[in-house]
Amino acid sequence: MSLRIAASVVILAVLAALSPATAQPAGFDFSSEQSGRPRTGKNEAAIAAIAKDFKFVEPGVFTVAINPGGPPLATYATDAKTVIGADPDIAQLIADSLGLRLNLVPTAWADWPLGLSSGKYDAVISNVGVTEQRKEKFDFSTYRQGLHGFFVRADSPIGSITEPKDTAGLRIIVGAGTNQERILLAWSKANVAAGLKPLELQYFDDEATRFVALASGRADVIVQPHAQLVFIAARDRNIKRVGTLSAGWPERSDVAITTRKGSGLAEALTIAVNGLIATGSYREALARWALLDEALDKSETNPPGLPKF
């Protein structure tokens, strides 16, 4: 075998091991039946809080837009048509709380704002972060912390990243134009001002190449939405978390159920989420997908969000 062929084989093996393609790690249920999905009863206070003039897209049904972008938040089951994940579980619990049947509508991420504004859906439950700009057109009922994760190779000597100085001089993989990049650029600037080394940010076109760079030692850290990396770590068992970062750093910006501005549904949804928190079914839903670290103690309606930049 030539050296060129041998090198190609090694690269392909690493890509196969590290590619974030959907797989089924132990502990995650990808069946279409979802027999372990938590359910709950009606929340009369939440039902009473729905505005009297609010009309659901379909009577008796909670129609929710969701983007099956990947596990553990939302993806397709083994039947390739049933949408499963943490967000569908939350949607089901909300529908139960309102005494409604759930209808999940798979939607491209770019399409949900227009679809919601035009009345195509009652709500969007698809990892939508609260921002001040979005609050101009939509109402929000928070249901998860918006977190980014710092992950390293399982054998990395890096033990913890909690503040800018912990990243001084590190080679960090991040997506171009993302909120994570904005924060890390601010961290790098703060490090330089403090006499420390700047960060070396690295950009790659696809997920597989990012993880090859991390595995090969070309990079020290990868920063992406926390939920994505939690799943990959559980599946591949070759990366580990060393820290988390609020999406709204230095403030916080949580993830929320999104509804039309002034539609009269947001407060009811907030009451419903708080009811789920009180009964424990909320944490049960997040635990199924290894997302307890993103749990909220309390849901809020239209809290401060990520500011305009």
Side-chain angles (χ1 to χ4, degrees), residues 231-252:
F231 178 81
I232 293 169
R235 184 193 67 199
D236 298 339
R237 301 185 182 279
N238 53 12
I239 62 173
K240 64 181 180 180
R241 183 182 62 197
V242 293
T244 59
L245 175 69
S246 173
W249 185 90
E251 305 300 329
R252 62 183 291 161

Side-chain angles (χ1 to χ4, degrees), residues 258-306:
T258 310
T259 52
R260 292 184 296 281
K261 190 74 177 177
S263 68
L265 190 58
E267 190 57 34
L269 297 178
T270 300
I271 293 171
V273 174
N274 282 321
L276 298 172
I277 292 172
T279 62
S281 54
Y282 165 79
R283 291 181 63 85
E284 184 182 352
L286 294 185
R288 290 187 74 222
W289 301 97
L291 293 178
L292 274 178
D293 288 325
E294 298 190 4
L296 293 175
D297 294 326
K298 180 183 179 182
S299 175
E300 297 179 272
T301 301
N302 293 328
L306 190 66

